[in-house]
Amino acid sequence: MDDSTKQDGKTLDLLEKSATEQASSSSNSDCTENIEEFRKNLAQTLEAKSFYIPSFKIYGGVAGLYDYGPPGVKHFALEENMLEVDCPCLTPEVVLKASGHVEKFTDLMVKDEITGTCYRADHLLKDFCMEKLDNNKDLSVDKVQELKLVLAMLDDFSPEQLGSKIKEYGIVAPDTKNPLSDPYPFNLMFQTSIGPSGTIPGYMRPETAQGIFVNFKDLYYYNGNKLPFAAAQIGQAFRNEISPRQGLLRFREFTLAEIEHFVDPEDKSHPKFSEVVDLELLMFPREEQMPGKDTVKLRLGDAGTVNNETLGYFIGRVYLFLTLLGISKERLRFRQHCAHEMAHYAADCWDAEIKCSYGWMECVGIADRSAFDLRANSEKSGTPLVAHEKFSAPKEVEAMDEKEAMEVKAALESKGKVEFQVCTLEKAVTIKSNMVSISKEIKKEHQRVFTPSVIEPSLGIGRIIYFLFEHSFYTRPNKAGDEQLNVFRFLPVVAPTKCTVFPLVKDPELEAVARQISKSLTAAGIYNKYDDTGNTIGKRYARTDEVGVPFAITVDHTPTTVTIRERDSKDQIRVKVTEVVSVCKDLIDGVRTWEDIRRQYPSHPRMSPADE
């Protein structure tokens, strides 16, 4: 789909209007009254209709591995003229040592002391707290506050603190009720060796970002040595999850789409921020994340806690992307990381969270990672990953800030040594007085050399798809009222199949017309399915509704016209055969809504109850 700026706004308005019309015409838009039944029905439908399939199914499957196809909307890359890269999944250890993954990419694990079964310690504690809060209405105010505080601090607990809470609450192995070991770190990366000798250690990449960072020098050159610019990559990432669960929400192999937007750390403005500044969205700033507080609807331009314009711009673009797909605005929020969640180098970070039957869950992270990644790889590789700003006239500058230099000099004279915190090493180094001398020096510079900051939107494609499944899925009774039919309310822009084409009955003349329509749709780039099975037309409609096909075209005995049926309203219009393709293309591209089309073309009576 072409994503120019004008098209983006116009299409969004039309699709939002279409989504509202479709939602209002559908019964049971919120299918979470009976959560377990909803999940079971949804999972069975997804697998039965091959939206996703457990990997290696004929061998019994492997937990955390699924096969599926993500939607291919280049909402970001086209609009921002991004450089797209495709890096290997195998990553040498040295790269992941520089990034900190080898040392710190861990989760805390506990084992069943009898069976040896492994569990994520924070998941067990989170489940315990959530169960108590949800199912014990007589908890004291103090206990409620305590459990909520534990949930808020989960990511910041040390192994000792986590183990202490597990013991305090008497948490045991969920399957056997056996006692659990103390928590200990488990690195989530899949380790391997590169080459037949096995002397080059490596890992399957846990993210796609590092391939962009190590290529910064070439990407910067390719972009004419100018900032800002962005590079994007979509591909597989691998994490050896301790206890994958919740179906498509936690994988061992999954698809990531990541953008690294490189920017001058002294100027993080964005020329297109004005295009998203008036968006109103649910925000959850860190100061609101106290017990009893909730999200607030804010105009993006008024969200003062967002660190800079570029970060705010990508929050807006993520919002537009997710709602364009069909994610409900009222079940989408942007939560700011609290201080204890932030990496030491990060300037700010927000998660796009979507509410589903499991609660609020992250699907996109939008972070200002400062200059950490390029500095770390520069330090480890010895290759400067820097940008240049050429001055129109030479500038006189001090080699070091005078105040800082005097403080260092005084410390060396009084103590004989001084410590510097080196961010890329994440430790302090000691400099002794016999190693350096400090004097004031003025020099002329013709250019400024600096390490760019990076703003990173990171999109979990699998989670977005799952949330889209939940937000689009509902059931409705058939006309006879004796059966519940499953329906996916996919917007045309993301529906895997856009149209189905049916001859009303088995008849050579009708079949010939239907096949020609199908061929014309394909030539216009509209993916469609032709169905001439002997089933009743009602059963064929129901079957396509179940896989989310927005429009069904039926060729009946009227020689020059056909009917087009809209999935959610089940309304039908009659259209000339020669206009079918153009009408469908307008609907699928968002140029016109179904309501627009209905006003232009005559309606066609719905089928009888016996047929639907």
Side-chain angles (χ1 to χ4, degrees):
M1 175 179 170
D2 188 1
D3 194 35
S4 65
T5 304
K6 291 182 180 178
Q7 171 87 0
D8 209 11
K10 183 178 179 182
T11 301
L12 179 67
D13 291 341
L14 287 166
L15 288 174
E16 285 177 354
K17 182 180 176 185
S18 176
T20 302
E21 292 167 358
Q22 292 175 10
S24 64
S25 69
S26 306
S27 59
N28 195 16
S29 61
D30 183 2
C31 304
T32 54
E33 290 182 7
N34 188 329
I35 289 176
E36 291 303 322
E37 182 179 342
F38 171 76
R39 289 178 185 162
K40 182 180 178 182
N41 191 8
L42 174 61
Q44 288 174 343
T45 304
L46 289 173
E47 187 168 346
K49 298 301 173 183
S50 298
F51 281 107
Y52 76 93
I53 305 168
S55 298
F56 313 111
K57 189 175 180 180
I58 62 171
Y59 294 101
V62 179
L65 298 180
Y66 293 87
D67 298 332
Y68 70 97
V73 179
K74 294 189 176 181
H75 173 88
F76 297 96
L78 292 178
E79 172 70 17
E80 305 305 319
N81 195 25
M82 294 178 181
L83 307 177
E84 291 190 75
V85 298
D86 185 7
C87 303
C89 293
L90 275 174
T91 307
E93 183 181 58
V94 64
V95 174
L96 295 168
K97 276 189 172 180
S99 65
H101 283 84
V102 172
E103 181 184 354
K104 293 188 173 183
F105 197 66
T106 59
D107 280 335
L108 293 174
M109 181 166 72
V110 291
K111 282 186 178 180
D112 182 316
E113 291 190 340
I114 308 297
T115 67
T117 303
C118 299
Y119 303 93
R120 261 187 68 168
D122 62 331
H123 282 178
L124 294 181
L125 183 53
K126 179 181 179 181
D127 290 346
F128 174 87
C129 294
M130 292 296 292
E131 193 277 331
K132 291 292 183 186
L133 289 169
D134 291 342
N135 300 323
N136 290 270
K137 305 303 180 185
D138 57 347
L139 288 175
S140 68
V141 174
D142 289 345
K143 193 65 176 178
V144 169
Q145 296 282 58
E146 175 193 328
L147 294 173
K148 286 185 175 181
L149 183 60
V150 169
L151 289 172
M153 298 296 293
L154 263 181
D155 292 337
D156 204 37
F157 277 159
S158 67
E160 294 73 24
Q161 290 171 318
L162 202 53
S164 175
K165 284 295 179 187
I166 287 173
K167 286 186 171 65
E168 178 185 342
Y169 294 147
I171 298 173
V172 294
D175 300 320
T176 64
K177 310 306 177 188
N178 293 329
L180 297 166
S181 69
D182 291 331
Y184 60 96
F186 172 77
N187 195 293
L188 300 177
M189 293 191 296
F190 288 101
Q191 189 167 16
T192 185
S193 56
I194 302 171
S197 65
T199 57
I200 305 173
Y203 297 88
M204 301 300 288
R205 64 184 181 190
E207 61 180 32
T208 62
Q210 295 306 315
I212 298 176
F213 295 136
V214 298
N215 284 308
F216 172 79
K217 188 174 181 180
D218 291 328
L219 293 170
Y220 181 56
Y221 173 78
Y222 186 84
N223 199 56
N225 295 326
K226 293 185 297 183
L227 286 181
F229 76 91
Q233 180 169 199
I234 182 169
Q236 300 306 102
F238 307 84
R239 297 180 185 179
N240 195 11
E241 293 285 351
I242 295 167
S243 51
R245 57 184 185 170
Q246 298 172 334
L248 292 175
L249 297 178
R250 193 167 296 279
F251 305 81
R252 286 186 169 129
E253 178 180 350
F254 55 99
T255 304
L256 270 181
E258 293 189 293
I259 297 165
E260 309 305 328
H261 182 94
F262 298 101
V263 63
D264 187 333
E266 295 182 5
D267 180 11
K268 294 180 182 179
S269 61
H270 197 287
K272 295 181 182 177
F273 183 63
S274 60
E275 296 177 11
V276 299
V277 71
D278 291 322
L279 290 174
E280 288 192 352
L281 49 159
L282 292 176
M283 305 286 282
F284 206 12
R286 62 172 63 99
E287 62 268 17
E288 299 294 323
Q289 295 173 41
M290 301 296 292
K293 293 196 174 184
D294 203 349
T295 56
V296 289
K297 181 165 279 191
L298 290 175
R299 176 178 167 273
L300 188 53
D302 297 332
T305 53
V306 178
N307 184 267
N308 58 76
E309 275 192 9
T310 298
L311 187 66
Y313 174 73
F314 278 108
I315 289 174
R317 290 291 293 168
V318 167
Y319 171 83
L320 291 174
F321 175 65
L322 294 175
T323 53
L324 185 67
L325 295 181
I327 297 298
S328 166
K329 292 181 186 178
E330 301 308 315
R331 289 188 278 172
L332 168 63
R333 73 182 184 188
F334 291 83
R335 186 185 70 83
Q336 187 179 29
H337 281 205
C338 294
H340 67 273
E341 297 176 274
M342 296 270 285
H344 68 277
Y345 52 80
D348 197 5
C349 186
W350 293 75
D351 287 341
E353 296 183 332
I354 296 175
K355 191 174 185 180
C356 67
S357 62
Y358 295 97
W360 288 100
M361 299 196 73
E362 172 202 356
C363 67
V364 184
I366 310 109
D368 182 338
R369 296 176 61 89
S370 190
F372 170 79
D373 301 285
L374 294 182
R375 282 179 178 156
N377 281 288
S378 293
E379 180 82 18
K380 199 73 175 177
S381 67
T383 301
L385 301 176
V386 295
H388 303 81
E389 179 193 3
K390 292 184 179 180
F391 301 142
S392 56
K395 290 185 178 182
E396 290 188 348
V397 297
E398 293 182 3
M400 187 178 184
D401 178 80
E402 183 173 357
K403 181 182 177 183
E404 182 183 359
M406 292 301 102
E407 289 173 353
V408 171
K409 184 176 182 180
L412 288 172
E413 289 174 351
S414 62
K415 301 177 182 177
K417 61 182 181 180
V418 69
E419 284 192 347
F420 275 108
Q421 185 71 28
V422 181
C423 65
T424 54
L425 299 178
E426 297 186 23
K427 65 179 183 180
V429 296
T430 300
I431 297 175
K432 296 182 180 179
S433 56
N434 61 352
M435 295 179 179
V436 296
S437 62
I438 296 178
S439 60
K440 186 171 182 178
E441 180 183 337
I442 302 294
K443 63 178 183 178
K444 288 187 176 182
E445 289 187 348
H446 296 268
Q447 65 176 356
R448 169 175 160 250
V449 180
F450 60 93
T451 304
S453 290
V454 64
I455 312 296
E456 179 192 72
S458 178
L459 296 87
I461 300 300
R463 285 194 172 188
I464 292 172
I465 290 175
Y466 178 79
F467 297 142
L468 184 59
F469 285 149
E470 277 215 9
H471 286 204
S472 302
F473 184 69
Y474 68 100
T475 61
R476 65 185 179 201
N478 64 355
K479 282 269 186 98
D482 58 358
E483 183 182 357
Q484 287 292 318
L485 303 177
N486 297 322
V487 184
F488 278 103
R489 193 191 298 113
F490 294 138
L491 293 176
V493 71
V494 296
T497 303
K498 311 299 184 183
C499 301
T500 48
V501 184
F502 306 136
L504 183 63
V505 294
K506 279 189 168 294
D507 177 281
E509 290 185 11
L510 301 186
E511 290 171 356
V513 174
R515 287 188 184 279
Q516 183 56 49
I517 290 173
S518 177
K519 186 176 179 180
S520 299
L521 289 167
T522 301
I526 299 171
Y527 188 78
N528 65 95
K529 287 285 189 180
Y530 173 82
D531 184 353
D532 62 353
T533 60
N535 291 326
T536 66
I537 192 68
K539 287 184 178 179
R540 281 183 278 172
Y541 283 156
R543 188 165 60 205
T544 60
D545 292 348
E546 195 172 24
V547 292
V549 181
F551 308 108
I553 300 162
T554 302
V555 180
D556 54 25
H557 293 286
T558 308
T560 60
T561 63
V562 297
T563 64
I564 300 179
R565 172 188 180 268
E566 195 274 329
R567 176 197 57 223
D568 296 303
S569 65
K570 296 188 284 185
D571 288 340
Q572 298 184 54
I573 57 170
R574 188 161 285 280
V575 177
K576 290 180 180 179
V577 171
T578 54
E579 297 180 34
V580 168
V581 174
S582 62
V583 168
C584 290
K585 189 162 182 59
D586 281 355
L587 286 167
I588 290 160
D589 290 347
V591 176
R592 290 188 287 175
T593 68
W594 177 251
E595 200 57 42
D596 296 331
I597 297 294
R598 280 184 63 195
R599 284 194 291 266
Q600 182 176 349
Y601 293 93
S603 61
H604 181 79
R606 292 188 184 183
M607 297 178 302
S608 66
D611 291 329
E612 181 107 21

